[in-house]
Coordinates of all heavy atoms in Angstrom, one line a residue:
G1439 N 208.5 -216.6 -144.2 CA 207.7 -216.3 -145.3 C 206.4 -215.7 -144.9 O 205.7 -216.2 -143.9
S1440 N 206.0 -214.5 -145.4 CA 204.8 -213.9 -145.1 C 204.1 -213.4 -146.4 O 204.7 -212.6 -147.1 CB 205.0 -212.7 -144.2 OG 203.8 -212.0 -143.9
P1441 N 202.9 -213.9 -146.8 CA 202.1 -214.9 -146.0 C 202.9 -216.2 -146.0 O 203.8 -216.5 -146.7 CB 200.9 -215.0 -146.8 CG 200.9 -213.9 -147.8 CD 202.3 -213.5 -148.0
Q1442 N 202.3 -217.1 -145.1 CA 202.9 -218.4 -144.9 C 202.8 -219.3 -146.2 O 202.0 -219.0 -147.0 CB 202.1 -219.1 -143.8 CG 203.0 -219.8 -142.8 CD 202.2 -220.5 -141.7 OE1 201.3 -221.2 -142.0 NE2 202.5 -220.2 -140.4
I1443 N 203.7 -220.2 -146.3 CA 203.8 -221.1 -147.4 C 202.4 -221.9 -147.5 O 201.7 -222.2 -146.5 CB 204.9 -222.1 -147.2 CG1 205.2 -222.9 -148.5 CG2 204.7 -223.1 -146.0 CD1 206.5 -223.7 -148.5
N1444 N 202.0 -222.1 -148.7 CA 200.8 -222.9 -149.0 C 201.2 -224.4 -149.0 O 202.1 -224.8 -149.6 CB 200.2 -222.6 -150.4 CG 199.8 -221.1 -150.5 OD1 198.9 -220.7 -149.7 ND2 200.4 -220.4 -151.3
L1445 N 200.4 -225.2 -148.2 CA 200.7 -226.7 -148.2 C 199.5 -227.4 -148.9 O 198.4 -227.2 -148.6 CB 200.7 -227.1 -146.7 CG 201.9 -226.5 -145.9 CD1 201.7 -227.0 -144.4 CD2 203.2 -226.9 -146.5
I1446 N 199.9 -228.1 -150.0 CA 199.0 -228.6 -150.9 C 199.2 -230.1 -151.0 O 200.4 -230.6 -151.2 CB 199.1 -228.0 -152.3 CG1 198.9 -226.5 -152.2 CG2 198.1 -228.6 -153.3 CD1 199.2 -225.7 -153.5
E1447 N 198.2 -230.9 -150.9 CA 198.3 -232.4 -151.0 C 198.8 -232.7 -152.4 O 198.3 -232.2 -153.4 CB 196.9 -233.0 -150.7 CG 196.9 -234.5 -150.7 CD 195.6 -235.1 -150.5 OE1 194.6 -234.3 -150.1 OE2 195.4 -236.3 -150.7
A1448 N 199.7 -233.7 -152.5 CA 200.3 -234.1 -153.8 C 199.1 -234.5 -154.7 O 198.2 -235.3 -154.3 CB 201.3 -235.2 -153.6
G1449 N 199.2 -234.0 -155.9 CA 198.1 -234.4 -156.9 C 197.1 -233.3 -157.0 O 196.4 -233.2 -158.1
R1450 N 196.9 -232.4 -156.0 CA 195.9 -231.4 -156.1 C 196.5 -230.3 -157.0 O 197.7 -230.1 -157.2 CB 195.6 -230.8 -154.8 CG 195.0 -231.8 -153.7 CD 193.6 -232.2 -154.0 NE 192.6 -231.1 -153.7 CZ 192.1 -230.9 -152.5 NH1 192.5 -231.7 -151.5 NH2 191.2 -229.9 -152.3
L1451 N 195.6 -229.5 -157.6 CA 196.0 -228.4 -158.5 C 196.9 -228.8 -159.6 O 197.7 -228.0 -160.1 CB 196.6 -227.2 -157.7 CG 195.7 -226.4 -156.8 CD1 196.5 -225.3 -156.2 CD2 194.6 -225.7 -157.6
G1452 N 196.8 -230.1 -160.0 CA 197.7 -230.6 -161.1 C 199.1 -230.8 -160.7 O 200.0 -231.0 -161.6
L1453 N 199.4 -230.7 -159.4 CA 200.8 -230.9 -159.0 C 201.2 -232.3 -159.1 O 200.6 -233.2 -158.6 CB 201.0 -230.5 -157.5 CG 201.2 -229.0 -157.3 CD1 201.1 -228.6 -155.8 CD2 202.6 -228.6 -157.8
A1454 N 202.3 -232.5 -159.9 CA 202.8 -233.9 -160.1 C 204.3 -233.8 -160.3 O 204.9 -232.7 -160.4 CB 202.2 -234.6 -161.3
G1455 N 205.0 -234.9 -160.3 CA 206.4 -234.9 -160.6 C 207.3 -234.9 -159.4 O 208.5 -234.8 -159.5
G1456 N 206.7 -235.0 -158.2 CA 207.5 -235.1 -157.0 C 208.1 -236.4 -156.7 O 207.8 -237.4 -157.5
P1457 N 209.0 -236.6 -155.7 CA 209.5 -237.9 -155.4 C 208.4 -238.9 -155.1 O 207.3 -238.5 -154.6 CB 210.4 -237.6 -154.2 CG 210.7 -236.1 -154.3 CD 209.5 -235.5 -154.9
P1458 N 208.6 -240.2 -155.2 CA 207.6 -241.2 -155.0 C 206.9 -241.1 -153.6 O 205.7 -241.3 -153.4 CB 208.3 -242.5 -155.1 CG 209.4 -242.2 -156.0 CD 209.9 -240.8 -155.7
A1459 N 207.7 -240.7 -152.6 CA 207.2 -240.7 -151.2 C 206.5 -239.3 -150.9 O 206.0 -239.2 -149.7 CB 208.3 -240.9 -150.2
A1460 N 206.4 -238.4 -151.8 CA 205.8 -237.1 -151.6 C 204.4 -237.2 -151.2 O 203.6 -237.8 -151.8 CB 206.0 -236.2 -152.8
A1461 N 204.0 -236.5 -150.1 CA 202.7 -236.4 -149.6 C 202.1 -235.0 -149.7 O 200.9 -234.8 -149.9 CB 202.6 -236.9 -148.1
T1462 N 203.0 -234.0 -149.6 CA 202.6 -232.6 -149.6 C 203.6 -231.8 -150.4 O 204.8 -232.0 -150.3 CB 202.6 -232.1 -148.1 OG1 201.8 -232.9 -147.3 CG2 202.1 -230.7 -148.0
A1463 N 203.1 -230.8 -151.1 CA 203.9 -229.8 -151.8 C 203.8 -228.5 -151.1 O 202.7 -228.0 -150.8 CB 203.5 -229.7 -153.2
G1464 N 204.9 -227.8 -150.8 CA 204.9 -226.5 -150.3 C 205.1 -225.5 -151.4 O 206.0 -225.6 -152.2
I1465 N 204.2 -224.6 -151.6 CA 204.2 -223.6 -152.6 C 204.2 -222.2 -152.0 O 203.2 -221.8 -151.3 CB 203.0 -223.7 -153.6 CG1 202.9 -225.1 -154.2 CG2 203.1 -222.7 -154.7 CD1 204.1 -225.5 -155.1
R1466 N 205.3 -221.5 -152.2 CA 205.3 -220.1 -151.7 C 204.3 -219.2 -152.4 O 204.0 -219.4 -153.6 CB 206.7 -219.5 -151.8 CG 207.8 -220.2 -151.1 CD 207.7 -219.9 -149.6 NE 208.8 -220.6 -148.8 CZ 208.8 -220.6 -147.5 NH1 207.8 -220.1 -146.8 NH2 209.8 -221.2 -146.9
P1467 N 203.7 -218.2 -151.8 CA 202.7 -217.4 -152.4 C 203.2 -216.7 -153.7 O 202.4 -216.5 -154.7 CB 202.4 -216.3 -151.4 CG 202.6 -217.0 -150.1 CD 203.8 -217.9 -150.3
E1468 N 204.5 -216.4 -153.8 CA 205.1 -215.8 -155.0 C 205.2 -216.8 -156.2 O 205.4 -216.4 -157.3 CB 206.4 -215.2 -154.7 CG 207.5 -216.2 -154.3 CD 207.6 -216.3 -152.8 OE1 206.6 -216.1 -152.1 OE2 208.7 -216.6 -152.3
D1469 N 204.9 -218.1 -155.9 CA 205.0 -219.1 -157.0 C 203.6 -219.5 -157.5 O 203.5 -220.5 -158.2 CB 205.8 -220.3 -156.5 CG 207.3 -220.0 -156.2 OD1 207.8 -219.2 -157.0 OD2 207.8 -220.4 -155.2
L1470 N 202.6 -218.8 -157.1 CA 201.3 -219.0 -157.7 C 201.0 -217.8 -158.6 O 201.3 -216.7 -158.3 CB 200.2 -218.9 -156.6 CG 200.1 -220.2 -155.7 CD1 199.1 -219.9 -154.6 CD2 199.7 -221.4 -156.5
T1471 N 200.6 -218.1 -159.8 CA 200.2 -217.1 -160.8 C 198.7 -217.0 -160.9 O 198.0 -217.9 -161.3 CB 200.8 -217.5 -162.2 OG1 202.2 -217.7 -162.1 CG2 200.5 -216.4 -163.2
V1472 N 198.3 -215.8 -160.5 CA 196.8 -215.5 -160.5 C 196.5 -214.8 -161.8 O 197.2 -213.8 -162.1 CB 196.4 -214.7 -159.2 CG1 194.9 -214.4 -159.3 CG2 196.8 -215.5 -158.0

């Protein structure tokens, strides 16, 4: 992936709904809506 995947701590930017053990969410640049 270019640019590199964004690594976001679970709970930041309103990210929720991951598995209970989730610590980090990987978000590809194409999956951010500016």
Side-chain angles (χ1 to χ4, degrees):
S1440 179
Q1442 227 179 51
I1443 194 169
N1444 299 296
L1445 299 175
I1446 302 172
E1447 185 181 349
R1450 303 285 289 272
L1451 285 182
L1453 275 169
T1462 304
I1465 303 294
R1466 296 287 183 190
E1468 61 268 28
D1469 294 320
L1470 285 174
T1471 302
V1472 180

